[in-house]
Amino acid sequence: DAMVIQNPRYQVTQFGKPVTLSCSQTLNHNVMYWYQQKSSQAPKLLFHYYDKDFNNEADTPDNFQSRRPNTSFCFLDIRSPGLGDAAMYLCATSPGDRGTDTQYFGPGTRLTVL
Amino acid sequence: SQKIEQNSEALNIQEGKTATLTCNYTNYSPAYLQWYRQDPGRGPVFLLLIRENEKEKRKERLKVTFDTTLKQSLFHITASQPADSATYLCALDVNNAGNMLTFGGGTRLMVKP
């Protein structure tokens, strides 16, 4: 089945140790998103790619970076994780048809920072 | 400031009853609004989209209304089942850019047998 895949599902890292989360999609969608979601809160958009064009949200900390080497893959790099970065990280895709895009989410990666 | 508000308190209802969830927004004029379902530890799943010129949208046991004057959407689940228990998120394209969604905090629905 076409889908959005995230690896790993659970990631444990140490305070300050860089970590990379990965996302892949078989939907051939133009747009890929990264969200951060903390317990009982709304998913918060960190950044998105429209094809190769990177769009960073104004309040996304510099500690968070992203790479999209090709259409199928997108990575979230957290350069120096802090305790406040512990959260669920959600990857999503959308076709890129302006006006009524719906988003397809992966299962998420739960990040624990020790 | 711009806000999307959903009732943060859990909604508990009895199986077979109709669940009604509310999404209110301020300072937006969205072209459409979407509803998603999220189960614990999973990503959201798209349910319904309603456009600004549509008053009501239905899909099986789901119904969504959109009142742009009141700046409110209502999400109904009729004949609710325990399997409907989840968190339901509304989302708006706040910039009318076509690809960007801002999510409400969600309302957790618990359907008791």
Side-chain angles (χ1 to χ4, degrees), chain A residues 33 37 48 98-99 101 103, chain B residues 32 34 36 38 97 99-100:
Chain A
Y33 309 81
Q37 187 177 30
H48 76 282
R98 299 240 170 226
D101 256 11
Q103 295 188 11
Chain B
Y32 60 90
Q34 302 184 22
Y36 289 76
Q38 187 173 24
N99 302 117
M100 305 287 295

Side-chain angles (χ1 to χ4, degrees), chain A residues 21-64:
Chain A
L21 310 182
S22 72
C23 177
S24 63
Q25 55 131 340
T26 59
L27 299 161
N28 202 33
H29 283 171
N30 288 321
V31 191
M32 296 187 76
Y33 309 81
W34 279 105
Y35 290 87
Q36 178 193 67
Q37 187 177 30
K38 298 188 176 180
S39 182
S40 300
Q41 294 184 20
K44 179 180 180 299
L45 182 65
L46 296 173
F47 24 59
H48 76 282
Y49 278 92
Y50 193 107
D51 196 11
K52 296 180 181 179
D53 294 331
F54 177 70
N55 299 273
N56 197 32
E57 291 300 292
D59 57 354
T60 298
D62 293 339
N63 196 27
F64 292 85

Side-chain angles (χ1 to χ4, degrees), chain A residues 81-101:
Chain A
L83 298 179
D85 297 328
M88 175 76 88
Y89 289 88
L90 296 165
C91 174
T93 72
S94 71
D97 301 326
R98 299 240 170 226
T100 58
D101 256 11

